[in-house]
């Protein structure tokens, strides 16, 4: 199946399961090397990144959900995001590149209307394409999401949503809409 279509299908399913709404943030970490069947960090591919970006971003933008793209470890897993998503965030000064930030972060930076790079965020859900470890950028408490889409290209796909922490113990009553 086409990588763009795999991404579209996965993100649509995740939006539904995670109950994402307008203004929420979805963080994506991606190894294009893994997507094309290579070891993470060895074969960054801008063309593959463009297909992935187009598949995910088109769906999110149509629903008013912000895309946050995690850079690779060489930029300490910083985040590329639209300034409108985090208008008061303190940006860092870096421009992602293929070998320092990764291909997907580079495509996002050059595709967003007003991109900024920040050191961290607390997103409402996440997609990890190729085992890039996005957990540091999710709100507490992260809950695994099992999708029908198990991989993007050759890369393993892991997804998560978040929920508020439970407090109060056995006497507490919880809001079922937040689970």
């Amino acid at each position: 199946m086409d990588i763009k279509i795999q991404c579209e299908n996965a993100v649509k399913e995740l939006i539904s399961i995670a109950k994402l709404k307008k203004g929420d943030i979805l963080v994506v970490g991606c190894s294009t090397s893994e997507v094309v069947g290579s070891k993470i960090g060895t074969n960054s591919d801008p063309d593959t990144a463009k297909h992935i970006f187009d598949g995910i971003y088109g769906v999110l933008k149509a629903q008013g959900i912000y895309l946050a793209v995690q850079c690779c470890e060489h930029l300490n897993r910083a985040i590329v995001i639209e300034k409108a998503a985090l208008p008061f965030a303190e940006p860092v000064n870096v421009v992602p590149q293929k070998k320092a930030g990764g291909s997907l972060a580079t495509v996002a930076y050059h595709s967003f209307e007003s991109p900024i790079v920040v050191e961290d965020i607390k997103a409402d859900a996440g997609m990890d394409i190729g085992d890039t470890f996005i957990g540091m950028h999710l709100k507490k408490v992260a809950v695994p999401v099992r999708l029908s889409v198990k991989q993007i290209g050759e890369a393993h796909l892991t997804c998560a949503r978040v929920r508020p922490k439970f407090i109060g113990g056995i006497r507490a009553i919880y809001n079922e809409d937040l689970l």
Side-chain angles (χ1 to χ4, degrees), residues 51-144:
H51 292 298
I52 292 166
F53 180 85
D54 290 345
I56 294 170
Y57 188 61
V59 173
L60 294 178
K61 189 165 176 93
Q63 296 197 32
I65 299 167
Y66 291 105
L67 173 61
V69 177
Q70 178 180 275
C71 295
C72 74
E73 66 179 299
H74 297 99
L75 295 185
N76 299 323
R77 304 200 195 296
I79 295 291
V80 179
I81 193 164
E82 290 278 8
K83 182 165 181 54
L86 302 171
F88 303 107
E90 183 177 347
V92 293
N93 188 359
V94 70
V95 176
Q97 302 297 315
K98 178 179 166 180
K99 293 291 186 182
S103 288
L104 188 61
T106 302
V107 168
Y109 188 88
H110 293 290
S111 298
F112 287 158
E113 289 177 30
S114 183
I116 59 171
V117 180
V118 297
E119 289 188 283
D120 54 45
I121 60 165
K122 296 297 179 193
D124 302 288
M127 292 179 67
D128 190 328
I129 304 168
D131 303 318
T132 63
F133 298 117
I134 60 164
M136 65 197 287
H137 294 300
L138 293 171
K139 292 177 182 173
K140 295 179 182 174
V141 171
V143 178

Side-chain angles (χ1 to χ4, degrees), residues 32 34 50 68 96 113:
T32 58
E34 292 278 334
K50 181 71 171 130
E113 289 177 30

